[in-house]
Amino acid sequence: MSDKDQIIEIFFKEYDKLKSEQAQRIGFRDNLLYVTLGLFVTVVSFAVTNPSNYYALLVIPWVCLILGWTYVVNDEKISAIGSYIRYKLVDKVKEHTGYTDLETLFGWEIAHRNDKHRKRRKVQQLIVDEITFVFSGAIALSAFWFLVSQPPLAIRILSWAELLFLIVLGVEMFIYADLAKGR
């Protein structure tokens, strides 16, 4: 096997490993939505059983923040892998083979980003993500503020900090939404 063939084989092994990591991250990321919703329902169920449990609502923003940030990080890595394949790996293979029609080899990496409904789907996904991780945390805070009329000062400060963190998470989700179309 020539050096050129070995290099090409290495590139395709890299591609295979990247796609495997991407698939694992997609599964993990998508399950975070279900885990968040499950924890939300569990905490709300506990909180509404007794007025002394209303403080449990303050757990929900932390759940939303931690799982939401984990979601954003994984989503960004999923996009980064795709970007690396489209911009770097494709160029490496072109450089070492002289073959320019790599859409034959890496067609899916480019084609799925040119879907005419991609932007709409990405915006819809962003809305779902914001509702799941930001809005649900804000709803829990609003419910707490409504149900607990005079919480201690430290709890009020904590709850406002949670709201601030949720807003930051919402902005980060928007920044990393990968709404771009095309390559």
Side-chain angles (χ1 to χ4, degrees), residues 46-57 144 147-148:
F46 172 74
V48 299
T49 59
N50 185 329
S52 65
N53 296 345
Y54 290 158
Y55 283 82
L57 292 169
F144 174 79
L147 295 169
V148 179

Side-chain angles (χ1 to χ4, degrees), residues 150-171:
Q150 292 296 323
L153 178 61
I155 298 298
R156 278 185 278 172
I157 292 170
L158 171 70
S159 67
W160 283 102
E162 288 178 324
L163 180 60
L164 177 65
F165 292 145
L166 286 170
I167 291 168
V168 169
L169 176 62
V171 170

Side-chain angles (χ1 to χ4, degrees), residues 95-162:
E95 178 184 326
H96 286 85
T97 63
Y99 189 67
T100 58
D101 184 23
L102 291 180
E103 282 201 33
T104 304
L105 300 173
F106 297 104
W108 174 248
E109 300 300 330
I110 296 163
H112 80 279
R113 294 186 60 88
N114 289 323
D115 174 19
K116 67 180 181 174
H117 301 292
R118 181 179 192 282
K119 177 101 172 182
R120 179 179 46 91
R121 278 196 326 274
K122 292 298 282 185
V123 168
Q124 290 169 337
Q125 185 62 53
L126 175 61
I127 291 168
V128 168
D129 297 345
E130 295 280 0
I131 289 170
T132 303
F133 296 110
V134 179
F135 187 68
S136 62
I139 291 294
L141 284 172
S142 298
F144 174 79
W145 293 330
F146 178 76
L147 295 169
V148 179
S149 59
Q150 292 296 323
L153 178 61
I155 298 298
R156 278 185 278 172
I157 292 170
L158 171 70
S159 67
W160 283 102
E162 288 178 324

Side-chain angles (χ1 to χ4, degrees), residues 7-24:
I7 291 171
I8 300 304
E9 185 176 332
I10 290 168
F11 290 150
F12 285 112
K13 283 183 181 178
E14 179 183 23
Y15 175 76
D16 187 48
K17 293 292 184 187
L18 288 168
K19 291 306 286 183
S20 176
E21 178 183 343
Q22 193 178 47
Q24 288 175 336

Side-chain angles (χ1 to χ4, degrees), residues 43-82:
V43 173
V44 168
S45 296
F46 172 74
V48 299
T49 59
N50 185 329
S52 65
N53 296 345
Y54 290 158
Y55 283 82
L57 292 169
L58 295 176
V59 171
I60 292 173
W62 292 111
V63 167
C64 292
L65 288 166
I66 293 166
L67 296 180
W69 183 249
T70 304
Y71 182 93
V72 169
V73 168
N74 271 283
D75 194 54
E76 189 279 328
K77 294 299 179 214
I78 292 162
S79 294
I81 289 169

